[in-house]
Amino acid sequence: MSLLELSKVSKAFNGSPVLCDVDLCIARGEFVAIVGFSGAGKTTLISLIAGLLRPDSGEVRLEGRPVTGPGPDRGIVFQNYSLLPWLTVYENIALAVDQVNPAWDATRRREQVERHIAMVNLTPARDKKPSELSGGMRQRVSVARALAMDPQILLLDEPLGALDALTRATLQDEISRIREETHKTVVLITNDPDEGIYLADRIIPLTAGPGATLGPSFTIDIPRPRNRKEINHDPHFKQLRRDVTEFLLASRHRPHATVTRKLVLPDIEPEDLNLPRSPQGGRRLPRRSHEIREEKVEIE
Amino acid sequence: MRSFKLDWLILPLLGILLVLGGWQAVSGRKAARKDAEGKVVSEERVGLIPALPSVVETWQASRIYILEPFAKRGEMDQGIARFTWYSLLLVAKGYGLALLIGTPIGFLLGLSKVFTKTFDPIIQILRPVSPLAWLPLGLVLFLDAGKEAGTLGALFTIAICSMWPTVLNTAVGVRAIPQDYLNVARVLKLSRTKTLFKVLIPATLPYMFTGFRLSLGIAWLVIVAAEMLTGRPGVGGFLWQEYNALVYEHIILSIITIGLVGFILDRLMSLIEARFKSI
Ligand SMILES: Nc1ncnc2c1ncn2[C@@H]1O[C@H](COP(=O)(O)OP(=O)(O)O)[C@@H](O)[C@H]1O
Ligand SMILES: [Mg+2]
């Protein structure tokens, strides 16, 4: 039985559809990447899974039970850094641990926090405030906080979207390593097909909105551990990347929006000085052109 | 460094000197009218504004209040620091009351649309009412308190006039809390109380302190009016008494004191505010 199941999930905001009939099954222990354009509805999708939003129709089920609200069994790393800025790294994670495990004694809770800070290599920064950390470090804290709740499933909403390429690569490897260590079920939202293919077991494109839905699921049969350099020459990787990208581009079914703008040219044409001057006017005189031309501008 | 000194020292000093110069120029001075033998017949004040004491006169009349700031010669004849202290005590009480009432109202406004729709109009109506209008009502409300009626009326007036910036800024702060923080609370299933103390209040603190600072400014503004009307000892009471006693120099002394104290209070609150803004 699948751990997470979405059936015919639809969501609209103020009457405009964002997601239409989304079906998704994720087995326990799977790492699934969902890739789509920005604005397609990726955050909406993950919020539905997290229970922060309720679907208009359809159902989200976790372990067969309908999801009715958010809960610590679905650890979520938000797209924006959502650490509480007045708490230190330790306190941010401790807030989650203390809340989720009220029955544990203080030592056990402290160990849980420390262990997860160490897991993301932030022990030296444990007493720093989020404002003193780089973007990459903040997202590591977010990941640690989500994992410290010991969730059934880890939801990552474009966790690396705001990071520079180098930090991004480092954190990708870190996510990969943590996943190997914890065997968590992971849903990774990304706008970068390469990232999804590099990290996940399966990659599913989300069509362009409005009314987006999930496309076919592409299984990634690249053995682990994967090597960032070698993977670029892997024919399977190249094929997947091409397929996913093509699917995404093709899903932008709408023609480009165009505006038609009238260009009014000056109502006069230059004198042709090569022609002989004639007293009747003729060719030499400036002519009214009465000409209005149109120009089409494509808007990306 | 040079421009630093210019900005922080020389230009402000220049401004003060210019104002003092202007004051001296328009103020009046004593002139004696003498008869033929040089005997003083009468004294009168001459100048652009004859009744306005000059800088020097103000200093001479005020020096005892400034140089012996803690002296107590009588109920309404005390050193300026003593008067200031009385005023500050009263302000502190009224201001504390304003924060105690205003902050929860601000939270309710920020959290509940229904509460906002219900009470926002009445708040907008009460907000611009002058302290001079509230004070008589305050005195009436506490008529039964006898001797304490003045104090209680003044407290009431300070509280009700100074709480609005706290109310409104707290409400704005609560509404400005990023959805992400609230989502964190929801995912963790924090209880209402925990959400309030662990998320809502810390996230709103910077806004609350802006409100607190503005409220303190108003509370200090109101104290003078309140003391004038109730005749309590304090800077404002002193000012009003000396106006009635025709000692105009002391009016100016009181004004300068009130301004300086207000300025210092605002600076102190700004420092605290900046600490909370930096998170
Ligand atoms: N709370 C909301 N209210 C109204 N519209 C929303 C809301 N959240 C998202 N949308 C709209 O839904 C669409 C998808 O948004 P989102 O899920 O954030 O996209 P993505 O995460 O893929 O960039 C966007 O057009 C956005 O404007
Ligand atoms: Mg998003």
Side-chain angles (χ1 to χ4, degrees), chain B residues 142-207:
Chain B
F142 300 102
L143 216 50
D144 293 340
K147 257 179 66 184
E148 289 301 303
T151 309
L152 292 175
L155 281 181
F156 166 81
T157 309
I158 296 170
I160 204 161
C161 289
S162 67
M163 74 180 188
W164 306 119
T166 297
V167 169
L168 297 179
N169 276 281
T170 306
V172 169
V174 172
R175 288 190 201 114
I177 297 176
Q179 185 61 40
D180 291 282
Y181 300 171
L182 302 177
N183 282 344
V184 170
R186 288 177 65 197
V187 169
L188 292 177
K189 291 197 167 161
L190 294 183
S191 65
R192 276 168 175 273
T193 343
K194 267 201 167 168
T195 305
L196 180 67
F197 285 101
K198 301 250 167 185
V199 180
L200 297 181
I201 292 181
T204 317
L205 267 183
Y207 288 84

Side-chain angles (χ1 to χ4, degrees), chain B residues 13-275:
Chain B
L13 275 179
L14 189 70
I16 291 173
L17 284 178
L18 280 174
V19 170
L20 285 180
W23 170 15
Q24 184 72 32
V26 300
S27 62
R29 70 192 133 77
K30 280 205 189 89
R33 188 136 32 102
K34 296 172 186 166
D35 58 16
E37 291 130 53
K39 265 174 61 186
V40 178
V41 179
S42 65
E43 262 191 351
E44 60 177 5
R45 294 186 63 84
V46 294
L48 211 55
I49 308 172
L52 181 66
S54 70
V55 179
V56 180
E57 285 168 337
T58 304
W59 166 249
Q60 277 165 355
S62 306
R63 51 184 296 182
I64 182 165
Y65 292 90
I66 298 169
L67 297 180
E68 294 174 36
F70 298 102
K72 182 167 183 177
R73 291 173 288 271
E75 178 75 357
M76 274 312 202
D77 186 13
Q78 309 187 26
I80 200 67
R82 224 171 222 284
F83 278 138
T84 305
W85 176 244
Y86 294 146
S87 297
L88 282 174
L89 276 183
L90 192 67
V91 161
K93 286 184 203 151
Y95 175 63
L97 206 60
L99 300 196
L100 280 179
I101 303 169
T103 315
I105 296 181
F107 266 95
L108 288 173
L109 281 176
L111 290 173
S112 160
K113 281 209 173 75
V114 177
F115 190 91
T116 305
K117 288 197 178 119
T118 315
F119 289 106
D120 192 58
I122 187 84
I123 288 175
Q124 300 302 340
I125 291 171
L126 293 183
R127 200 163 58 97
V129 175
S130 149
L132 297 173
W134 283 116
L135 193 75
L137 181 65
L139 295 176
V140 170
L141 285 179
F142 300 102
L143 216 50
D144 293 340
K147 257 179 66 184
E148 289 301 303
T151 309
L152 292 175
L155 281 181
F156 166 81
T157 309
I158 296 170
I160 204 161
C161 289
S162 67
M163 74 180 188
W164 306 119
T166 297
V167 169
L168 297 179
N169 276 281
T170 306
V172 169
V174 172
R175 288 190 201 114
I177 297 176
Q179 185 61 40
D180 291 282
Y181 300 171
L182 302 177
N183 282 344
V184 170
R186 288 177 65 197
V187 169
L188 292 177
K189 291 197 167 161
L190 294 183
S191 65
R192 276 168 175 273
T193 343
K194 267 201 167 168
T195 305
L196 180 67
F197 285 101
K198 301 250 167 185
V199 180
L200 297 181
I201 292 181
T204 317
L205 267 183
Y207 288 84
M208 276 161 62
F209 268 88
T210 303
F212 291 174
R213 178 171 59 80
L214 298 174
S215 282
L216 184 58
I218 295 187
W220 184 243
L221 216 63
V222 172
I223 178 85
V224 180
E227 284 179 353
M228 273 162 75
L229 297 183
T230 57
R232 287 174 46 88
V235 193
F238 178 62
L239 188 153
W240 192 241
Q241 177 203 255
E242 297 301 285
Y243 165 71
N244 288 324
L246 309 180
V247 188
Y248 300 151
E249 289 86 351
H250 292 168
I251 296 180
I252 296 176
L253 168 68
S254 301
I255 289 175
I256 294 173
T257 311
I258 293 164
L260 276 176
V261 173
F263 174 70
I264 292 168
L265 290 178
D266 192 69
R267 287 289 96 181
L268 287 177
M269 285 304 283
S270 294
L271 286 181
I272 302 174
E273 196 186 336
R275 281 194 64 115

